[in-house]
């Protein structure tokens, strides 16, 4: 009897696994192009929900509920779950899963792109997030008002590590400092790719985000404009970052306006800061730098650089 080649055998097992997954998912084909990787391990689902410390009075926002593996558990713990789903097929699957049960009355489904949707009031956000919307969704969440209590979110491992990176770390970047300005961020656990259906190509992590309330008294657009300049080449010194001709022209224009409006004498000294490497600056040090030179008052036009840098 001829031997089956290992490569053919592997493909055969893969096809069998795909058929089993399709059968268990009601014949649905998941669209990985929009981040449809369903979390199938119930132990991890339960652990994520436990980390959120939900209360019976909570309204919970879930983004990307998929077939409802986590949604059903959330409905058992919370007063109401608002699930935001882009795919109408999965919306139908979600409704079918709770139809005829007491949980159906506690579920509200919003169909559409969460980034283009006005978020409703909620106490907590728990989600296995589509990875391609991670960054814009985090900042949409952190700038949302009224404040929510916490968010427990699944991210791609590298993105999660960037969120929690500290000054001097290889992954410390603009994302790190902006997120940590507005929230406390904790890495909770690692999740292997085999816990998803279909499995993604990357490893994942769960992160807990608690917004700072009250937030720091700064204009976030101005702050982000400054951080964009300092981190455009994070291994540059501050002196080199601010010697860019485009940056200098913009800062000089805005600084002259600032001095004129406030009737103060202009100064150009960056003494004490010029030799600092941007990626080693802590949040407190960068805030002190801004405060010392009153940058927040004259970089209000810095956002115009964002499109060109």
């Amino acid at each position: 009897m001829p031997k089956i080649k290992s490569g053919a055998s592997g493909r055969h097992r893969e096809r069998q696994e795909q058929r089993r997954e399709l059968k268990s998912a009601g014949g649905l084909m998941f669209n990985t192009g929009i981040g449809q990787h369903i979390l199938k391990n119930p132990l991890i689902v339960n652990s994520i929900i436990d980390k959120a410390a939900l209360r019976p009075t909570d309204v919970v926002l879930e983004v990307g509920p998929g077939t409802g593996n986590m949604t059903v558990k959330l409905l058992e713990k919370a007063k109401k779950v608002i699930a935001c789903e882009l795919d109408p097929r999965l919306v139908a699957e979600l409704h079918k899963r709770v139809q005829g049960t007491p949980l159906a009355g506690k579920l509200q489904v919003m169909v559409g792109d969460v980034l283009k949707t006005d978020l409703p009031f909620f106490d907590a956000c728990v989600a296995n997030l589509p990875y391609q919307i991670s960054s814009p969704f985090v900042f949409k969440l952190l700038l949302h008002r009224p404040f929510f209590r916490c968010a427990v979110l699944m991210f791609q491992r590298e993105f999660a590590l960037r969120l929690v990176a500290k000054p001097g770390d290889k992954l410390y970047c603009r994302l790190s400092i902006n997120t940590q300005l507005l929230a406390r961020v904790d890495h909770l656990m690692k999740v292997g790719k085999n816990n998803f259906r279909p499995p993604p190509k990357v490893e994942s992590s769960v992160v807990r985000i608690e917004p700072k309330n009250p937030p720091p008294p700064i204009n976030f657009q101005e702050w982000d404009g400054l951080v964009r300049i300092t981190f455009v080449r994070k291994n540059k010194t501050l002196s080199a970052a601010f010697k860019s001709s485009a940056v200098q022209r913009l800062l000089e224009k805005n600084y002259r306006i600032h001095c004129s409006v406030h009737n103060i004498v202009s100064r150009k000294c960056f003494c004490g800061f010029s030799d600092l490497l941007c990626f080693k600056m802590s949040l407190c040090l960068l805030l002190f730098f801004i405060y010392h030179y009153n940058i927040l008052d004259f970089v209000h036009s810095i956002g115009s650089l964002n499109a060109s840098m």
Side-chain angles (χ1 to χ4, degrees), residues 25 36-38 40 62 66 88-89 118 127 131 134 149 181 192 197 223 247 257-258 265 274 278 291 300 306 309:
Q36 288 181 353
H37 298 281
I38 308 302
K40 64 181 183 180
E62 184 186 13
R89 300 174 308 143
D118 292 332
Y131 292 164
S134 296
R149 188 173 69 252
L181 171 77
R197 184 180 71 243
W223 162 271
V247 172
I257 294 172
H258 164 79
V265 178
S274 60
C278 301
Y291 172 78
H300 58 271
N306 292 356
M309 296 184 68

Side-chain angles (χ1 to χ4, degrees), residues 46-108:
N46 290 336
S47 182
I48 290 172
I49 294 173
D50 289 343
K51 298 293 186 184
L54 298 178
R55 303 165 185 169
T57 56
D58 280 346
V59 175
V60 180
L61 175 69
E62 184 186 13
V63 179
T67 55
N69 293 346
M70 189 181 293
T71 314
V72 171
K73 300 286 187 181
L74 290 171
L75 288 167
E76 293 170 356
K77 296 273 187 179
K79 177 183 177 182
K80 181 181 180 181
V81 174
I82 303 170
C84 190
E85 176 57 61
L86 183 64
D87 190 338
R89 300 174 308 143
L90 294 182
V91 172
E93 190 71 21
L94 192 57
H95 281 302
K96 189 194 304 182
R97 188 155 183 176
V98 298
Q99 190 175 16
T101 70
L103 302 178
K106 300 166 68 176
L107 176 64
Q108 176 187 340

Side-chain angles (χ1 to χ4, degrees), residues 19 99 143 164 241 257 263 294:
R19 282 195 289 269
Q99 190 175 16
L143 298 175
V164 300
I257 294 172
N263 194 28
N294 296 310

Side-chain angles (χ1 to χ4, degrees), residues 11-22:
R11 287 193 294 272
H12 178 68
R13 284 196 299 272
E14 187 177 337
R15 284 195 294 270
Q16 283 184 324
E17 179 65 23
Q18 287 174 347
R19 282 195 289 269
R20 282 196 297 270
E21 288 175 352
L22 280 173

